[in-house]
């Protein structure tokens, strides 16, 4: 938090010198906000602190910086952990993925919509910031009548979490705008939130959208196997691993979400065999952008061309 606030202060100060300096500082600020989001993520799993109250209140405080409603996101994300890799329980908290058979049964219009959705620019560059900044502000988007997957979430709890976060954001950023000016605040913080959303979207994408991922029908689905084999180990340079809060060790995280981010590397060191499970380098991860459909026959993600 100290590093993040110091970087934001430098960005504000640099506005009077050159916006290019401020723009360059967006890079470290984005990395630090990504790390803070991982802290909020761990609070949602109840793993950052021993105390539930500490987890919840720190998670809610971090909502002011990540603009993500903590209590709602906690419920939705834990649902993702409970259903990840289950073809019959594809739900919120994940990237929509259809099977080759389902795609072939779609109408032409449905295929076009799915192709647009799965376009990397639309999904990661436009879609993730739009979801973080806009969709998370609108509680009726999570009403069970709007989408069947939200039936397992408490509608009242969703509304409360989202609206309380919205009010808190207005008060918090309204105060900052009154001190530093609305234009300055927008110029400094909006690019950081957008960039962080894109980074977060990419991390979440690569954690589950790789060729040899795990998807099974519910009767064959096994939770621990789905956790370990359906999540990647994103091997990043140490600096990037620190900025992303070790979330690249995602197979360990899914196997036991009660392990805090700051213990994941110790788990990896204690079990060296985990280093070879679904390991992806940055170059490997770029190749995953072409995978769009799950082929139930070959048990792998494939491209539109390969499925044709």
């Amino acid at each position: 938090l100290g590093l993040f606030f110091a970087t934001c202060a430098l960005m504000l100060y640099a506005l009077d010198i050159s916006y290019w300096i401020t723009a360059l500082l967006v890079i470290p600020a984005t990395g630090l906000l990504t790390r803070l989001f991982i802290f909020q993520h761990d609070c949602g799993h109840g793993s950052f602190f021993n105390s539930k109250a500490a987890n919840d209140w720190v998670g809610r405080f971090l909502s002011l910086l990540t603009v993500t409603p903590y209590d709602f996101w906690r419920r939705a994300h834990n649902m993702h952990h409970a259903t990840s890799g289950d073809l019959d329980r594809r739900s919120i908290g994940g990237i929509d993925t259809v099977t080759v058979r389902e795609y072939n049964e779609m109408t032409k219009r449905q295929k076009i919509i799915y192709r647009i959705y799965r376009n990397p620019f639309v999904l990661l560059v436009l879609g993730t910031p739009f979801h973080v900044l806009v969709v998370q502000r609108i509680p009726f988007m999570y009403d069970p009548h709007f989408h069947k997957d939200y039936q397992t979430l408490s509608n009242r709890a969703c509304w409360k979490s989202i609206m309380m976060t919205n009010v808190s954001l207005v008060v918090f950023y309204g105060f900052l705008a009154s001190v530093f000016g609305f234009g300055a605040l927008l110029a400094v913080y909006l690019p950081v939130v957008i960039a962080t959303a894109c980074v977060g979207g990419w991390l979440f994408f690569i954690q589950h959208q790789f060729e040899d991922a795990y998807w099974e029908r519910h009767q064959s689905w096994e939770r621990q196997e789905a956790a370990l084999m359906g999540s990647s180990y994103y091997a990043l340079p140490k600096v990037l691993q620190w900025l992303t809060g070790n979330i690249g060790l995602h197979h360990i995280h899914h196997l036991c979400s009660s392990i805090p981010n700051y213990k994941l590397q110790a788990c990896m060191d204690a079990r060296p065999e985990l280093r070879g499970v679904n390991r992806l380098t940055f170059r490997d991860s770029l190749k995953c952008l072409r995978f769009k459909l799950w082929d139930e026959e070959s048990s792998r993600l494939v491209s539109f061309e390969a499925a044709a």
Side-chain angles (χ1 to χ4, degrees):
L1 279 169
L3 286 170
F4 179 69
F5 289 140
T7 304
C8 290
L10 281 173
M11 293 172 73
L12 280 167
Y13 178 76
L15 283 176
D16 295 330
I17 303 171
S18 170
Y19 188 71
W20 288 109
I21 299 175
T22 298
L24 285 173
L25 288 170
V26 167
I27 298 172
T30 295
L32 290 166
L33 186 57
T34 300
R35 182 169 169 82
L36 290 173
F37 181 80
I38 301 303
F39 294 174
Q40 183 185 24
H41 161 272
D42 280 9
C43 288
H45 283 297
S47 65
F48 199 62
F49 299 101
N50 288 327
S51 163
K52 182 181 185 302
N55 280 310
D56 288 343
W57 284 108
V58 169
R60 288 167 188 147
F61 166 73
L62 290 173
S63 294
L64 296 174
L65 305 179
T66 65
V67 301
T68 296
Y70 167 76
D71 290 283
F72 165 73
W73 186 88
R74 173 174 57 84
R75 291 167 179 266
H77 185 67
N78 284 327
M79 184 190 298
H80 156 69
H81 271 256
T83 60
S84 182
D86 190 331
L87 283 170
D88 296 316
R89 294 193 297 164
R90 282 167 280 182
S91 62
I92 58 173
I95 292 171
D96 290 344
T97 306
V98 302
T99 67
V100 172
R101 178 183 58 80
E102 290 167 343
Y103 179 76
N104 290 332
E105 292 174 352
M106 286 180 174
T107 64
K108 185 176 181 180
R109 179 174 175 272
Q110 289 172 328
K111 288 181 178 179
I112 291 173
I113 292 173
Y114 184 72
R115 280 178 173 268
I116 292 173
Y117 167 76
R118 292 291 304 214
N119 180 280
F121 182 79
V122 173
L123 183 63
L124 302 173
V125 179
L126 298 180
T128 312
F130 180 77
H131 179 83
V132 169
L133 290 167
V134 179
V135 176
Q136 290 187 147
R137 310 276 75 78
I138 309 172
F140 70 78
M141 293 289 286
Y142 303 101
D143 191 286
H145 298 293
F146 185 83
H147 197 295
K148 63 180 178 62
D149 289 333
Y150 301 115
Q151 291 175 355
T152 54
L153 295 175
S154 167
N155 194 31
R156 181 180 178 183
C158 288
W159 274 77
K160 181 181 178 181
S161 175
I162 293 169
M163 294 310 297
M164 287 299 292
T165 301
N166 290 346
V167 171
S168 299
L169 290 174
V170 170
V171 173
F172 181 67
Y173 288 103
F175 170 74
L176 291 179
S178 69
V179 175
F180 301 108
F182 182 75
L185 184 65
L186 204 63
V188 166
Y189 206 64
L190 186 60
V192 176
V193 173
I194 291 174
T196 302
C198 291
V199 170
W202 169 251
L203 288 171
F204 192 79
F205 175 86
I206 206 60
Q207 286 159 0
H208 301 286
Q209 297 287 315
F210 54 95
E211 186 174 12
D212 298 317
Y214 175 100
W215 287 96
E216 289 285 352
R217 292 295 172 183
H218 185 63
Q219 64 270 21
S220 303
W221 180 83
E222 204 282 320
R223 182 167 182 169
Q224 286 187 315
E225 186 177 1
L228 185 62
M229 304 310 298
S231 307
S232 66
Y233 163 37
Y234 199 19
L236 295 170
K238 288 298 182 182
V239 172
L240 294 182
Q241 182 176 325
W242 185 84
L243 288 170
T244 55
N246 296 323
I247 201 64
L249 283 67
H250 209 63
H251 57 325
I252 301 176
H253 167 64
H254 260 259
L255 195 59
C256 184
S257 61
S258 62
I259 301 170
N261 72 84
Y262 49 85
K263 295 287 189 180
L264 288 173
Q265 185 59 55
C267 290
M268 174 77 84
D269 295 339
R271 293 289 184 182
E273 60 271 26
L274 292 172
R275 292 181 181 275
V277 178
N278 298 331
R279 187 179 187 275
L280 296 174
T281 63
F282 180 72
R283 179 177 293 184
D284 295 330
S285 68
L286 295 177
K287 299 175 184 177
C288 297
L289 290 170
R290 67 177 184 268
F291 302 133
K292 317 287 185 179
L293 303 165
W294 179 254
D295 186 345
E296 292 185 82
E297 293 185 6
S298 62
S299 295
R300 63 190 180 98
L301 279 172
V302 298
S303 64
F304 287 125
E305 293 73 23

